[in-house]
Amino acid sequence: MKRIKISEVLKRTTFGEVITVMGWVRTKRVSKNVGFIALNDGSTINNLQVVIEVTPEIDELLSKVHTGASLIIIGKTVESVGSGQQVELLCSNIQLLGQANPDEYPLQPKRHSLEFLREIAHLRFRTNTFSAVFRIRHAMTFAIHKFFNDKGFCNIHTPIITGSDAEGAGEMFQVTTLDPLNLPKTEEGKIDYTQDFFGKVTNLTVSGQLEGELAAMALSEIYTFGPTFRAENSNTARHLAEFWMIEPEMAFYDINDNMDLAEEMLQYLVKYALENCREDLEFLSKRREEEQKQKPQNERDDMSLIERLEFVVNNKFERLTYTEAIDILKNSNANKKGQFAYPVNNWGTDLQSEHERYLVEKHFKKPVILTNYPKEIKAFYMKQNEDGTTVRAMDVLFPQIGEIIGGSQREEDYNKLLSRIQELHIPEKEMWWYLETRKFGTVPHSGYGLGFERLMLFITGMSNIRDVIPFPRTPKNAEF
Ligand code: 4AD
Ligand code: MG
């Protein structure tokens, strides 16, 4: 008989049909004549209650059924008498597919710490928390493609292996097939990369932007959605070595058009989650409230997860310049009382996440878009302002997260771009293809990068980025 998903079964309002379900046992209770199994197949956070009449034969089988075991159940849908669900399944046939020895199976029907669950990431999908997170992650992936598709953007697959350092930060993972114990050398004693697989030095990409720009110079509006890799040694709750990024790039957009798109996209995605992932969000919202109770009063959130999501959908983001933000931070009580780990004294310093969060959570109490950063702290490709000191950058800052989006209007002037590349000693020869877009039919254009896991942190209310990607890659950790 065809398998029916539990999410479908639980929606039923008519009863009496005999159906087949398959899933994993969450809990089992057996009394003298009747057994109850809560079955979950991942299609919803809710379990299906299976009611089994206990005969001696069934009793023997049930003794082998424990949390984590997999079952096929055939049974009749009946209206539930207990509270909670309105439908349950009266079992007529039960088949044990795979046992889970309770002495070895690490998941028990109780709350496990997130740290512990990270160590068993191969099994953590089977918890309510992680199945909710990964159903939402899927929904957000779909919503991102839908948002851009509905606007006529073209999805471009940019390369994972690249010869260029898009962000110029030099935090790249090298890709090579050379034998580290037997490296070929040039006459000057350097490594001879002409003998490497690609005949040159290659790395895992830190961003699809540069290639995305090439496509935008013909298709007008494109976006990438792919994995990116950064070998920065920052072991924080917001950094991964492998993360996913969404990078739209639009011809004929200036920085204001860019900000409008970023704001519209973020509100669309949050609204999509509220409308399509309600049960999972309610579960995570409750979970977060309980987590908050463990914290000292002054560190607790003033809004629940769902309230915060609704707040972002319903309020315009605050827009201001870097210079205005520095003034606010410099004159803030937090700065004067020495509450920042990095005191704000001078124009020109990069903002730390504590400063970004101060602006968002304490000062404006809503998402913020900062523009016009000092050129020294931003990438070479950003459009230079007339003042000669700032560039048309934009960072979107979110509560709990800090920077969720980084982007800019791009420098479309060939000579200005070239002189910035030279100033920063970026190998000009390797950038010939990027420069040529400014030589042939150049146009004003803009784009940004949304860190997908940062978005997921915000949507789910989880506090560690390791808990919103199935298998996190962080310094000294590439298990699974
Ligand atoms: O600000 P970033 O470095 O910008 C770029 O890479 C541009 N090429 C984007 C563009 O204009 N097309 O990174 C963009 C976003 C950040 O705002 C952050 O959300 C996320 O990517 N991000 C990370 N997320 C997780 N772990 C890391 N190590 C991250 N580094 C950046
Ligand atoms: Mg950035």
Side-chain angles (χ1 to χ4, degrees), residues 167 207 209 230 232 240 245 247 403-406 410 449 451:
E167 290 304 301
S207 158
Q209 177 196 326
R230 295 194 186 177
E232 51 189 333
L240 289 165
M245 196 161 29
E247 295 186 276
E403 179 189 336
I404 195 166
I405 281 181
R410 317 305 189 192

Side-chain angles (χ1 to χ4, degrees), residues 184-448:
K185 296 280 169 69
T186 62
E187 276 172 12
E188 302 97 73
K190 294 191 173 149
I191 298 169
D192 183 7
Y193 282 107
T194 62
Q195 294 189 42
D196 203 350
F197 189 90
F198 296 106
K200 61 189 272 193
V201 177
T202 50
N203 298 292
L204 294 179
T205 189
V206 295
S207 158
Q209 177 196 326
L210 301 191
E211 291 90 351
E213 281 188 54
L214 313 180
M217 288 304 108
L219 298 160
S220 292
E221 292 168 323
I222 66 96
Y223 70 104
T224 72
F225 189 166
T228 48
F229 308 86
R230 295 194 186 177
E232 51 189 333
N233 208 348
S234 30
N235 228 330
T236 78
R238 279 182 293 274
H239 287 87
L240 289 165
E242 175 179 290
F243 63 100
W244 288 67
M245 196 161 29
I246 296 96
E247 295 186 276
E249 192 68 36
M250 299 76 64
F252 317 114
Y253 275 48
D254 67 13
I255 187 75
N256 291 313
D257 302 322
N258 206 26
M259 285 192 274
D260 290 345
L261 184 73
E263 184 167 340
E264 185 189 341
M265 178 196 71
L266 287 168
Q267 289 183 326
Y268 175 94
L269 295 176
V270 175
K271 190 158 176 257
Y272 188 94
L274 283 167
E275 285 171 2
N276 295 277
C277 309
R278 197 75 201 187
E279 284 178 335
D280 287 330
L281 284 179
E282 272 162 12
F283 173 83
L284 292 172
S285 195
K286 266 197 217 106
R287 179 189 180 285
R288 195 172 165 82
E289 265 164 52
E290 274 161 40
E291 201 180 68
Q292 293 290 316
K293 284 186 200 145
Q294 316 292 320
K295 289 188 173 178
Q297 193 86 39
N298 61 338
E299 283 174 31
R300 288 186 201 164
D301 293 353
D302 43 0
M303 285 187 210
S304 76
L305 173 61
I306 296 211
E307 281 167 346
R308 172 146 6 88
L309 297 177
E310 281 165 352
F311 183 84
V312 164
V313 173
N314 296 325
N315 287 279
K316 285 207 79 62
F317 299 1
E318 189 73 33
R319 299 183 184 187
L320 67 157
T321 65
Y322 166 89
T323 305
E324 289 165 329
I326 287 288
D327 281 342
I328 292 170
L329 290 167
K330 229 174 18 190
N331 298 320
S332 67
N333 280 334
N335 196 44
K336 288 178 186 157
K337 288 189 194 154
Q339 285 165 357
F340 288 138
Y342 296 86
V344 182
N345 301 314
N346 305 316
W347 189 93
T349 51
D350 206 353
L351 297 183
Q352 303 295 323
S353 130
E354 58 175 346
H355 307 134
E356 297 172 337
R357 292 184 58 177
Y358 177 87
L359 290 169
V360 172
E361 291 164 26
K362 299 268 159 26
H363 191 84
F364 290 108
K365 297 192 192 300
K366 56 173 151 161
V368 166
I369 312 184
L370 290 188
T371 51
N372 295 328
Y373 281 73
K375 66 176 180 193
E376 272 72 31
I377 58 173
K378 289 291 179 190
F380 72 95
Y381 50 70
M382 296 192 179
K383 184 168 175 65
Q384 298 158 39
N385 281 320
E386 288 72 39
D387 62 14
T389 56
T390 61
V391 286
R392 236 165 270 182
M394 62 163 221
D395 277 8
V396 182
L397 314 179
F398 256 40
Q400 312 287 316
I401 313 292
E403 179 189 336
I404 195 166
I405 281 181
S408 75
Q409 187 168 337
R410 317 305 189 192
E411 183 54 76
E412 84 268 24
D413 182 287
Y414 180 86
N415 292 317
K416 284 188 189 161
L417 183 62
L418 181 62
S419 60
R420 194 70 188 132
I421 284 177
Q422 288 165 343
E423 266 168 42
L424 294 171
H425 308 293
I426 295 168
E428 187 185 322
K429 264 206 204 123
E430 279 162 33
M431 300 299 283
W432 67 273
W433 45 271
Y434 187 67
L435 281 158
E436 279 203 353
T437 54
R438 274 66 171 175
K439 222 152 97 182
F440 308 126
T442 192
V443 301
H445 63 289
S446 301
Y448 60 79

